[in-house]
Amino acid sequence: METQKLEVVPEPEASAPAAGPRVMTGAEMLVECLKREGVEIMFGYPGGAVLPIYDALYGSGIRHILTRHEQGAVHAAEGYARVTGRPGVVLATSGPGATNLVTGIADAYMDSTPLVLFTGQVATDLIGSDSFQEADIIGITMPITKHSYQVRDAADIPRVVREAFHIAATGRPGPVLIDVPKNVANQKAVFEWPERVFIRGYNPTYTPNPTQLSKVTEAIRESRRPLLYVGGGVVHSGAAEELREFAHKTGIPVVSTLMGLGAFPSADPLFVGMLGMHGTFAANRAVMECDLLIAVGARFDDRVTGKLERFSPHSKKVHIDIDPAEIGKNVAVDLPLVGDVKRVLSAMLPEVGPVGTKAWIDQIRAWDEQWPLGYKAEPGVLKPQQVLEMLWDATRGEAILTTEVGQHQMWAALFYRFKRPRQWVTSGGLGTMGFGFPAAMGVQLAKPGETVICVAGDASFQMNIQELQTVAENGLPVKVAIINNGFLGMVRQWQQLFYDRRYAESRVGAPDFVKVAEAYGIRGLRAQTPEEAREAIREMLAHPGPVVVDFVVPEEENVFPMVPPGAGTDEMIGRWDD
């Protein structure tokens, strides 16, 4: 009998079930949103209200930098944002964790730095009951954020995060805060990612008005002593190339605010210098004598204008800015032009040509020769200006500089000649001591192959000195140059000049910075003479890891020139060679 063979017919493969909705906790949604926004590095400090979020971060692939203070976290995020142009991300717990962010949030708001900050909050049923570690962080920060959210439903997290990153980075950049109650972080909901963002009432103007554009180009053609006054908006817009092309095509000289440094190369023949309270004589005189002042991404702040009644009295004023609220706020302007600086300059380029500024530029150069920037060198004495010149020479002007706030900040601005945008990271509007060192950490994380130098004062460095542990732990090769004069230097300078040398509480004691650095496992060096300074800088730059150098300088060295308080920018004092 023949054996019958059974043919086995494979069953058809079951089709994969259709992907259903993804259910996640609010914390898991938040982390997924960060990934979709391309966040690779964030800064923060954990606490009870954000434990669900930290648990979701565990193993997520997002690098979290644990700073040793929340203020250090927000300044580090600012540094990251300032050199990348992308929002820095911060996570802090409720109550004191959130309030420790306030100074950094205000700093970012004043300097138009894009940040997205997440704070923990007590559970929704406890809000308003003065529960443990509760603080109304929305109310506290409302005046210093571009926008704020408090999430009450986990399903809203994807939309809120998407909107927050959009708001932070578009128009005039700035900080956006998202407050997440703990029960919302634990709540489960369906994750729905919005591919597009539409926010009613939020539509920044990027393209300039053609009529206004024509009026501005006509004013440029008619001018004989035009001047470009450029600010941080040029950097934020990524308009440095267009600015250079515009200046070279027209022949218009350029002055810069503190925040605008690097937007136009300092070595360019058309660059006059920084204007304002500690600007150069030539820059401030040019502002006084020009017949057309073109403000590009600048906001006419008081450190630039001095006494308003005396500011640039002979000029027709053009103001180009993406934020219409800035136009006419401090100084009345003749030709407002709302739009993105990059687009505005691009639109004007085909419409302008050489203005004929040779005589004007010759006059500006004569002022610069008459009142040059400098300092008195003394044998065997290390001057702070020398330190900055040595740093510039040793780095060939290629380092990224961050600074704290005070005299050392002004010396860095005046004596380190910047080549490119996003090479200069400082606190301008708020003037925050303690900014520079943690900002340098963020810069170094964003630009791991770059030389990053924090120029600090002995007082400012102590504000966030605890971040030496963060630098050591993460192997960040940040170089710290402390300009150590034993004082709150700028406070002392004002007390010397305007308070008859009554140095009330401006002398600041300091630890042995070399020993402090070594206690954290970081190389520490000290220099007290020019020869020692050159060797210390050589060793600092050659060392592959972080280094702290204590440069000991004279106590009563001042930042000159200077516009005294209440004076016009034509009333500068303090020729260095007097």
Side-chain angles (χ1 to χ4, degrees):
M1 183 176 175
E2 187 173 327
T3 305
Q4 186 178 8
K5 291 182 180 179
L6 297 176
E7 184 178 1
V8 179
V9 180
E11 293 184 11
E13 292 185 10
S15 58
R22 297 176 65 189
V23 176
M24 301 181 182
T25 67
E28 290 167 341
M29 288 187 187
L30 194 154
V31 173
E32 178 64 22
C33 291
L34 294 179
K35 289 180 179 179
R36 295 192 182 214
E37 290 290 349
V39 175
E40 297 175 346
I41 296 173
M42 62 188 298
F43 306 86
Y45 202 95
V50 285
L51 284 181
I53 299 173
Y54 272 92
D55 189 62
L57 275 171
Y58 189 82
S60 67
I62 296 174
R63 185 178 181 186
H64 178 277
I65 302 299
L66 175 65
T67 58
R68 292 311 185 268
H69 192 286
E70 290 89 354
Q71 186 179 352
V74 68
H75 291 325
E78 286 186 272
Y80 181 92
R82 292 273 289 276
V83 294
T84 63
R86 301 191 300 272
V89 180
V90 180
L91 175 58
T93 194
S94 63
T99 57
N100 279 344
L101 299 175
V102 170
T103 298
I105 296 171
D107 188 271
Y109 185 76
M110 292 285 281
D111 287 343
S112 304
T113 303
L115 298 180
V116 177
L117 307 109
F118 297 93
T119 53
Q121 186 55 273
V122 300
T124 52
D125 61 332
L126 294 176
I127 292 175
S129 67
D130 293 332
S131 60
F132 178 67
Q133 290 195 330
E134 179 189 359
D136 178 10
I137 196 63
I138 299 294
I140 291 168
T141 61
M142 191 172 290
I144 53 171
T145 54
K146 197 172 174 187
H147 194 63
S148 298
Y149 296 88
Q150 187 176 80
V151 185
R152 294 295 187 110
D153 188 329
D156 292 333
I157 287 177
R159 174 186 60 81
V160 167
V161 174
R162 191 86 167 91
E163 289 180 1
F165 276 85
H166 176 73
I167 293 169
T170 55
R172 179 180 180 173
V176 178
L177 186 139
I178 302 174
D179 197 37
V180 185
K182 189 172 182 178
N183 62 315
V184 175
N186 284 320
Q187 180 188 1
K188 290 187 176 182
V190 174
F191 180 87
E192 295 182 7
W193 178 251
E195 294 298 335
R196 300 184 65 184
V197 178
F198 173 74
I199 304 170
R200 186 184 299 275
Y202 179 71
N203 294 290
T205 300
Y206 281 83
T207 304
N209 179 285
T211 302
Q212 288 298 101
L213 198 74
S214 297
K215 291 179 180 179
V216 171
T217 54
E218 180 62 26
I220 290 171
R221 284 191 288 270
E222 292 175 351
S223 68
R224 291 296 172 266
R225 301 186 309 279
L227 189 66
L228 282 160
Y229 149 43
V230 304
V234 177
V235 178
H236 295 310
S237 177
E241 184 177 340
E242 288 77 9
L243 173 66
R244 285 194 297 273
E245 187 177 350
F246 186 86
H248 290 158
K249 187 173 183 181
T250 58
I252 300 177
V254 177
V255 297
S256 173
T257 68
L258 179 72
M259 300 304 293
L261 291 173
F264 196 81
S266 297
D268 193 292
L270 288 174
F271 187 67
V272 182
M274 185 174 75
L275 79 163
M277 178 172 281
H278 290 291
T280 66
F281 277 101
N284 282 336
R285 187 67 184 270
V287 171
M288 291 298 297
E289 300 299 332
C290 67
D291 64 2
L292 180 67
L293 184 66
I294 308 167
V296 187
R299 60 187 183 88
F300 293 96
D301 70 282
D302 58 297
R303 286 295 174 106
V304 161
T305 63
K307 190 173 184 179
L308 283 171
E309 296 79 17
R310 299 178 65 90
F311 178 72
S312 195
H314 310 299
S315 68
K316 178 180 285 188
K317 296 174 182 66
V318 175
H319 193 176
I320 302 168
D321 205 288
I322 198 165
D323 184 0
E326 286 296 339
I327 294 179
K329 185 176 79 175
N330 295 326
V331 171
V333 297
D334 303 282
L335 293 171
L337 195 50
V338 178
D340 175 67
V341 168
K342 188 180 182 75
R343 295 194 192 185
V344 172
L345 292 177
S346 296
M348 284 200 292
L349 273 168
E351 308 300 323
V352 296
V355 178
T357 55
K358 184 180 182 305
W360 171 229
I361 291 171
D362 287 345
Q363 175 62 76
I364 292 172
R365 286 174 180 162
W367 289 329
D368 194 42
E369 290 172 4
Q370 186 177 358
W371 294 295
L373 184 66
Y375 61 93
K376 290 181 180 178
E378 298 177 34
V381 177
L382 180 60
K383 292 297 186 79
Q385 302 93 330
Q386 280 179 296
V387 175
L388 272 302
E389 289 182 334
M390 290 177 189
L391 287 172
W392 184 87
D393 186 62
T395 61
R396 297 180 176 84
E398 295 291 343
I400 300 175
L401 257 62
T402 73
T403 77
E404 304 289 352
V405 169
Q407 287 180 311
H408 64 275
Q409 177 189 30
M410 295 299 107
W411 286 316
L414 293 168
F415 289 92
Y416 195 98
R417 298 185 289 270
F418 298 95
K419 294 183 175 182
R420 62 186 188 277
R422 304 194 185 279
Q423 191 186 1
W424 168 245
V425 179
T426 196
S427 173
L430 196 64
T432 305
M433 292 175 65
F435 168 88
F437 181 42
M441 300 189 310
V443 171
Q444 192 75 81
L445 284 158
K447 302 288 183 180
E450 300 276 358
T451 298
V452 179
I453 301 174
C454 171
V455 179
D458 49 305
S460 284
F461 185 57
Q462 293 183 75
M463 289 275 185
N464 275 309
I465 197 170
Q466 77 285 339
E467 299 308 330
L468 284 169
Q469 178 61 32
T470 310
V471 164
E473 194 171 89
N474 290 277
L476 303 177
V478 171
K479 318 301 182 185
V480 182
I482 302 173
I483 308 300
N484 187 350
N485 57 16
F487 274 92
L488 286 165
M490 194 62 80
V491 174
R492 186 212 54 75
Q493 176 168 330
W494 280 52
Q495 288 174 331
Q496 175 187 338
L497 297 176
F498 311 118
Y499 294 90
D500 296 326
R501 277 195 168 91
R502 293 191 294 274
Y503 295 152
E505 302 304 321
S506 55
R507 183 179 291 279
V508 178
D512 184 324
F513 290 117
V514 174
K515 289 182 178 179
V516 170
E518 290 172 347
Y520 283 97
I522 292 171
R523 179 74 63 86
L525 305 169
R526 181 173 290 108
Q528 300 182 5
T529 67
E531 293 73 23
E532 290 175 355
R534 288 189 188 90
E535 177 56 27
I537 290 172
R538 186 201 64 76
E539 186 174 343
M540 176 185 80
L541 295 175
H543 184 66
V547 181
V548 174
V549 186
D550 183 15
F551 293 100
V552 181
V553 300
E555 290 182 345
E556 289 198 340
E557 187 74 15
N558 288 328
V559 179
F560 286 133
M562 178 183 183
V563 177
T569 53
D570 60 333
E571 299 174 296
M572 301 191 79
I573 62 172
R575 282 184 61 112
W576 64 269
D577 52 354
D578 283 345

